[in-house]
Amino acid sequence: MRRFLRHPVRLVPLGFLVAILFGTAALMLPLATIEEEKGAPFVTALFTATSAISVTGMAVTDTPHYWSGFGLALITVFTQLGGLGILTGAALVILTVSRQLGLRNRLLVQAESAEYGPGDIRRLLLRIAATVLACEAVMTVIIFGRLWLAYDYPPWHALWSATFHSVQAFNSGGFSLYSHGLLGFSRDPWILLPLTLGAIIGSLGFPALFEAARGWRRPIHWAVATKLTIWGTLVLLVAGSLILLIAEWTNPETIGRHGVAGKVMDAFSQLALGRTAGFEVVPTTAFREESYFVLIALMFIGGGSASTTGGIKVTTFFLLAFVIWAELRGEPDVTVGQRRVATSSQRQAITVALLSVAVVTLGTFTLILTVEPVAFYRSLFEVTSAFSTAGLSVGLAPSLPADGQLLLAALMYIGRVGPLTLGSAIALNTRRRLYRYPEEQPIVG
Amino acid sequence: MRRFLRHPVRLVPLGFLVAILFGTAALMLPLATIEEEKGAPFVTALFTATSAISVTGMAVTDTPHYWSGFGLALITVFTQLGGLGILTGAALVILTVSRQLGLRNRLLVQAESAEYGPGDIRRLLLRIAATVLACEAVMTVIIFGRLWLAYDYPPWHALWSATFHSVQAFNSGGFSLYSHGLLGFSRDPWILLPLTLGAIIGSLGFPALFEAARGWRRPIHWAVATKLTIWGTLVLLVAGSLILLIAEWTNPETIGRHGVAGKVMDAFSQLALGRTAGFEVVPTTAFREESYFVLIALMFIGGGSASTTGGIKVTTFFLLAFVIWAELRGEPDVTVGQRRVATSSQRQAITVALLSVAVVTLGTFTLILTVEPVAFYRSLFEVTSAFSTAGLSVGLAPSLPADGQLLLAALMYIGRVGPLTLGSAIALNTRRRLYRYPEEQPIVG
Ligand SMILES: [K+]
Ligand SMILES: [K+]
């Protein structure tokens, strides 16, 4: 067992599991709920703890009317710790594992080496924490002012709500203090823009964010991962918003009755807040089918690497696009902006994408075939949302029986830990092979 | 234009296009139909010609009651020419392209080099043709005898039916002389086994088939592609049949009323004849959902490389499984039975798989969103079946409007030519790059 645990890749899944169990126990305390005298039932507490710690934000309860102030504070802390834990954990694990697995990667060793030696982790962690808190503070202040001045909230309530939603949005959480999410703030740029921009920045992940912030004058010099993340996110946001806007333009139940500016505001913020954080800005159950599929695709892709978002990641998606393009062009190398992409990165991208497709496919069919016969797109939406830790819901989760909720919780866990990390933790071969077999090029396709 | 055409990879899509247009014209002749005095309408003729030449076998007409003897003969010839064309074309193209694209592959250069020099193509083609005709002859004789002796068919009718279905099964065709496919031969091993075994052998492709036949004593020495094809096909057949058997065991509309031997016979032959050839042995519209998904998965995977089947191919599927396994184990190389798999083959496999996923996804949603709002699984089944040229149908194709049938015809064409070949024909860069960029290992996942 000690030998099994020695490999750091195995500590991540176990760490999350332990955190979830503690969180479940805490949420089962009678103090955490408003009405349940004996505390929340096990499945509800487990689902909510997993959802908060994995920063998914999917809910099986009417959050503001089920959890007490203490319960909501726990959820906030779990989300923040989950978010920070992921950010710093990603930094640490990648640094540690990279030596053993031979992944010389850019996170610290290259991109950050100008400022940090590998022994200088504390400064990096502090900088991450400072950035998170600064962003959340700016978001909180703007939203607080708006809630206080325009919505006549009492100051303390306005501050609490502003803090809660800012933490959720920046950490790609997605819990809300309102039963209907952000529906009450439709078309209000003072509320939606801070949340949207915060969620987008939070979704980039610190390797890309720091390099883009430091080298914003010369994007041509960015690392491949940073280029793919920043430009890829931009492409996804613009294309996704446009499709959503066109699909919902005349839908009276979503944005059809708004003016042009309101349509654009709601479509953009729904897309940006839906794809990673999972907030509801317009009623998701009233979407047209095209919108469901756009959101499913974007949730599946997720955010930047080493960010609090799930999914296969923007880098993975666009790297695979470059791989396909190179293959179609008959190029021997996969090149992104004058850099050749290592075959090891390509292989990792393939594995992440295929394992994710397998998990989502299996999850969707398990839900339909063994738990509850629901429409395919609803099952696919909810499963993708749980796996990608986006947390946006078409309302299926709360109505599922216990085994269905446990399935979604398991998907959030797998999605958060990452199918590659989880699979490696189980299958990793710690012995080194001292020989190589002769090469062969089988025909495929 | 001449420069564009000079590259052989561009000749394949054009060749198929020309063949399909000739086939369409022939099927529009009044002589080819029983009742249409002016000949079949354009879309029907185009669909049927594409279906036959791409050896898909999906039908939009009640084949035996729509096409005349002449029309049926045309369909047989198209299927046989399409099948042979694919087999020999695959051999020739791979040989020619391999020099230019640098794919040293096993088909002729390595596996066959013991017997054939690259200039010795004629002998290989003759051997392929002889094998095809020999297998079809054996199948025809057994089925002819059975139809004549047990079903009291007149000898000429029995011979015609036996020939027609043998050609269809061996070439992964799938057209039938009976309105309800092979439903009338349920549980009859004398009909089903020759067709099933012929379809399986035909689905392997000649590179794998010839090497396995020559080196059957020492499977350990087979090439990687042969090992993946033979063992992979075996795994898919056994696992698929078992799932189908369990799912349908109690379904009175499919195999539920048969004895154990009958259940096994029907489940096995439905799976084996459905996944590549596309014959209906039990009523597909009565399947349970599990069965649909198994058949969709197996159709999508398809048969062996350089065979008459479509799909991503058995090699591609299992090669990707080995890639994932190596990544999870943290192995630097992807090894299959003591051979290292070239990264170029891995890249090709991932491109084929991802492009195929993209085509099927886009096709499914195009059908649902713009042509006809049908249940998701029916759309996915019909689109996968067309793209993988399996041709098994849940009955959607005949009821679709013209644009839906054209969509399916386009999918058969894309599936037959192959998304990789088609994409390469459009995107291929014929200039050589004389420099390599520095390498980078972006973080993904
Ligand atoms: K989320
Ligand atoms: K077929």
Side-chain angles (χ1 to χ4, degrees):
Chain A
M1 189 65 185
R2 188 174 292 169
R3 190 166 172 278
F4 181 85
L5 281 179
R6 207 168 49 196
H7 204 286
V9 84
R10 292 187 169 133
L11 288 175
V12 181
L14 276 177
F16 269 106
L17 209 57
V18 171
I20 288 170
L21 292 180
F22 271 103
T24 306
L27 284 175
M28 284 176 80
L29 295 174
L31 193 60
T33 44
I34 295 176
E35 288 188 3
E36 308 280 340
E37 287 182 6
K38 292 178 182 171
F42 173 71
V43 172
T44 305
L46 177 69
F47 188 98
T48 309
T50 311
S51 183
I53 291 168
S54 67
V55 291
T56 303
M58 193 178 271
V60 286
T61 63
D62 182 0
T63 306
H65 301 114
Y66 187 88
W67 302 103
S68 65
F70 175 70
L72 292 173
L74 281 180
I75 289 173
T76 310
V77 172
F78 292 165
T79 305
Q80 182 65 80
L81 290 183
L84 268 182
I86 290 156
L87 294 174
T88 55
L92 291 175
V93 166
I94 288 178
L95 184 69
T96 327
V97 174
S98 64
R99 302 240 183 84
Q100 301 208 17
L101 294 185
L103 302 167
R104 283 169 297 108
N105 67 70
R106 294 215 132 241
L107 175 60
L108 296 162
V109 184
Q110 296 183 329
E112 299 291 321
S113 59
E115 295 172 42
Y116 308 94
D120 215 48
I121 292 171
R122 207 170 61 96
R123 244 180 90 193
L124 174 67
L125 298 190
L126 283 176
R127 193 172 160 201
I128 288 177
T131 311
V132 170
L133 293 178
C135 288
E136 288 174 0
V138 172
M139 295 161 70
T140 303
V141 167
I142 300 173
I143 296 169
F144 161 70
R146 182 68 176 174
L147 287 178
W148 186 27
L149 301 173
Y151 290 81
D152 293 327
Y153 278 34
W156 284 112
H157 184 177
L159 185 63
W160 164 229
S161 175
T163 312
F164 186 92
H165 289 96
S166 298
V167 169
Q168 292 292 333
F170 191 83
N171 292 288
S172 310
F175 281 106
S176 172
L177 289 180
Y178 308 105
S179 304
H180 298 289
L182 305 179
L183 257 60
F185 305 111
S186 164
R187 284 163 295 157
D188 184 344
W190 292 98
I191 303 287
L192 293 180
L193 275 186
L195 292 178
T196 304
L197 296 179
I200 293 173
I201 291 173
S203 81
L204 295 173
F206 283 95
L209 185 62
F210 284 171
E211 185 174 18
R214 198 175 49 236
W216 61 272
R217 288 166 195 272
R218 296 179 304 173
I220 199 87
H221 290 296
W222 290 347
V224 167
T226 306
K227 282 180 185 158
L228 291 175
T229 306
I230 303 284
W231 300 126
T233 302
L234 207 66
V235 167
L236 293 177
L237 285 172
V238 171
S241 304
L242 273 178
I243 299 178
L244 204 65
L245 193 61
I246 294 167
E248 301 294 327
W249 191 267
T250 59
N251 186 347
E253 292 180 72
T254 56
I255 60 172
R257 293 181 188 172
H258 306 339
V260 172
K263 284 184 211 274
V264 173
M265 183 74 244
D266 273 13
F268 172 65
S269 54
Q270 175 61 79
L271 187 97
L273 286 171
R275 69 183 258 276
T276 52
F279 280 115
E280 200 173 352
V281 178
V282 296
T284 43
T285 44
F287 274 149
R288 299 234 162 102
E289 276 187 328
E290 292 90 326
S291 307
Y292 287 122
F293 294 132
V294 168
L295 278 165
I296 288 171
L298 262 70
M299 291 193 299
F300 183 77
I301 295 171
S305 294
S307 75
T308 53
T309 67
I312 62 169
K313 304 293 185 303
V314 176
T315 12
T316 309
F317 180 77
F318 284 98
L319 183 55
L320 289 177
F322 277 92
V323 170
I324 291 174
W325 181 243
E327 183 68 26
L328 292 182
R329 297 270 291 170
E331 306 271 6
D333 294 331
V334 177
T335 50
V336 179
Q338 309 207 334
R339 285 290 176 279
R340 193 152 45 91
V341 177
T343 50
S344 59
S345 295
Q346 298 177 37
R347 204 178 81 173
Q348 228 180 327
I350 290 163
T351 307
V352 168
L354 291 180
L355 284 180
S356 301
V357 168
V359 171
V360 168
T361 309
L362 276 179
T364 304
F365 290 136
T366 307
L367 194 62
I368 294 178
L369 296 176
T370 69
V371 180
E372 201 147 293
V374 289
F376 176 84
Y377 81 89
R378 291 187 75 204
S379 176
L380 179 65
F381 194 101
E382 218 78 349
V383 164
T384 307
S385 179
F387 171 73
S388 69
T389 74
L392 196 61
S393 171
V394 283
L396 197 58
S399 64
L400 285 178
D403 51 353
Q405 298 188 347
L406 289 176
L407 174 69
L408 289 181
L411 285 164
M412 292 190 248
Y413 173 75
I414 296 171
R416 180 65 281 163
V417 172
L420 178 58
T421 312
L422 197 60
S424 297
I426 297 163
L428 193 68
N429 183 8
T430 43
R431 284 174 308 168
R432 280 185 178 279
R433 207 175 262 189
L434 298 168
Y435 48 88
R436 292 184 87 186
Y437 289 115
E439 187 179 88
E440 215 177 286
Q441 289 192 305
I443 332 161
V444 295
Chain B
M1 190 65 186
R2 190 176 292 170
R3 191 166 172 278
F4 179 86
L5 282 179
R6 208 169 47 196
H7 204 287
V9 83
R10 292 185 169 134
L11 288 174
V12 181
L14 276 177
F16 269 108
L17 210 56
V18 170
I20 287 170
L21 292 179
F22 270 103
T24 307
L27 284 175
M28 284 176 80
L29 295 173
L31 192 60
T33 44
I34 296 177
E35 286 187 4
E36 308 279 340
E37 286 184 5
K38 290 177 181 171
F42 173 71
V43 172
T44 305
L46 178 68
F47 189 98
T48 308
T50 311
S51 184
I53 291 168
S54 67
V55 291
T56 305
M58 193 178 269
V60 286
T61 61
D62 181 0
T63 307
H65 300 114
Y66 186 88
W67 302 103
S68 65
F70 176 69
L72 292 173
L74 281 179
I75 289 173
T76 309
V77 172
F78 292 165
T79 305
Q80 182 65 80
L81 289 182
L84 268 182
I86 290 156
L87 295 173
T88 54
L92 291 175
V93 168
I94 288 178
L95 183 70
T96 327
V97 175
S98 64
R99 301 240 184 85
Q100 302 208 18
L101 294 185
L103 304 165
R104 283 171 295 108
N105 69 70
R106 294 215 133 241
L107 175 59
L108 294 162
V109 185
Q110 297 183 329
E112 300 292 321
S113 59
E115 295 173 43
Y116 306 95
D120 216 49
I121 293 171
R122 205 172 62 97
R123 243 180 91 194
L124 175 66
L125 298 189
L126 283 177
R127 191 171 159 201
I128 289 177
T131 311
V132 171
L133 292 178
C135 287
E136 288 174 359
V138 172
M139 295 161 71
T140 303
V141 167
I142 299 174
I143 297 169
F144 160 71
R146 181 69 176 174
L147 288 178
W148 186 29
L149 301 174
Y151 291 80
D152 292 326
Y153 279 33
W156 285 111
H157 184 177
L159 186 62
W160 165 230
S161 175
T163 311
F164 186 92
H165 290 97
S166 298
V167 169
Q168 292 292 333
F170 191 84
N171 292 288
S172 309
F175 282 106
S176 173
L177 288 180
Y178 308 104
S179 304
H180 299 289
L182 305 180
L183 258 59
F185 304 111
S186 164
R187 284 164 293 157
D188 184 344
W190 290 99
I191 304 286
L192 293 180
L193 274 186
L195 292 177
T196 304
L197 296 179
I200 293 172
I201 292 173
S203 81
L204 295 173
F206 283 95
L209 185 62
F210 283 172
E211 186 175 17
R214 199 175 47 239
W216 61 273
R217 288 165 195 271
R218 295 178 305 173
I220 199 85
H221 291 296
W222 290 348
V224 167
T226 306
K227 282 180 184 158
L228 290 174
T229 306
I230 303 283
W231 300 125
T233 302
L234 207 65
V235 167
L236 292 176
L237 285 173
V238 171
S241 305
L242 273 179
I243 300 177
L244 204 66
L245 191 62
I246 294 167
E248 302 294 327
W249 190 268
T250 59
N251 186 346
E253 293 180 73
T254 57
I255 59 172
R257 293 182 188 171
H258 306 341
V260 171
K263 284 185 212 272
V264 172
M265 182 76 244
D266 273 13
F268 172 65
S269 53
Q270 175 60 82
L271 187 98
L273 286 171
R275 68 182 260 274
T276 52
F279 279 114
E280 201 174 350
V281 178
V282 297
T284 43
T285 45
F287 274 149
R288 299 231 162 103
E289 276 187 327
E290 292 90 325
S291 308
Y292 287 123
F293 295 132
V294 168
L295 278 166
I296 288 171
L298 262 69
M299 290 194 299
F300 183 75
I301 296 172
S305 294
S307 77
T308 53
T309 67
I312 63 170
K313 304 294 185 302
V314 175
T315 10
T316 309
F317 181 77
F318 284 97
L319 183 55
L320 289 176
F322 276 92
V323 170
I324 292 174
W325 181 241
E327 184 67 27
L328 292 181
R329 297 271 291 171
E331 305 271 7
D333 294 331
V334 177
T335 49
V336 179
Q338 309 207 333
R339 285 289 176 281
R340 193 153 44 91
V341 177
T343 51
S344 60
S345 295
Q346 298 177 35
R347 203 177 83 174
Q348 227 181 328
I350 188 66
T351 306
V352 168
L354 290 181
L355 284 179
S356 302
V357 168
V359 171
V360 168
T361 308
L362 275 180
T364 304
F365 290 137
T366 306
L367 194 62
I368 295 178
L369 296 176
T370 69
V371 179
E372 199 146 295
V374 289
F376 175 84
Y377 81 89
R378 291 187 75 202
S379 176
L380 180 65
F381 194 100
E382 217 78 348
V383 165
T384 308
S385 179
F387 171 73
S388 69
T389 73
L392 197 60
S393 170
V394 283
L396 198 57
S399 65
L400 285 178
D403 52 354
Q405 297 188 348
L406 289 176
L407 174 69
L408 289 181
L411 285 164
M412 292 190 249
Y413 173 74
I414 296 171
R416 181 64 283 161
V417 173
L420 178 58
T421 312
L422 197 59
S424 297
I426 297 162
L428 194 67
N429 183 9
T430 43
R431 284 174 309 168
R432 281 186 177 278
R433 208 174 260 189
L434 298 169
Y435 47 89
R436 292 183 88 185
Y437 289 115
E439 187 179 88
E440 215 177 283
Q441 288 193 306
I443 332 162
V444 295

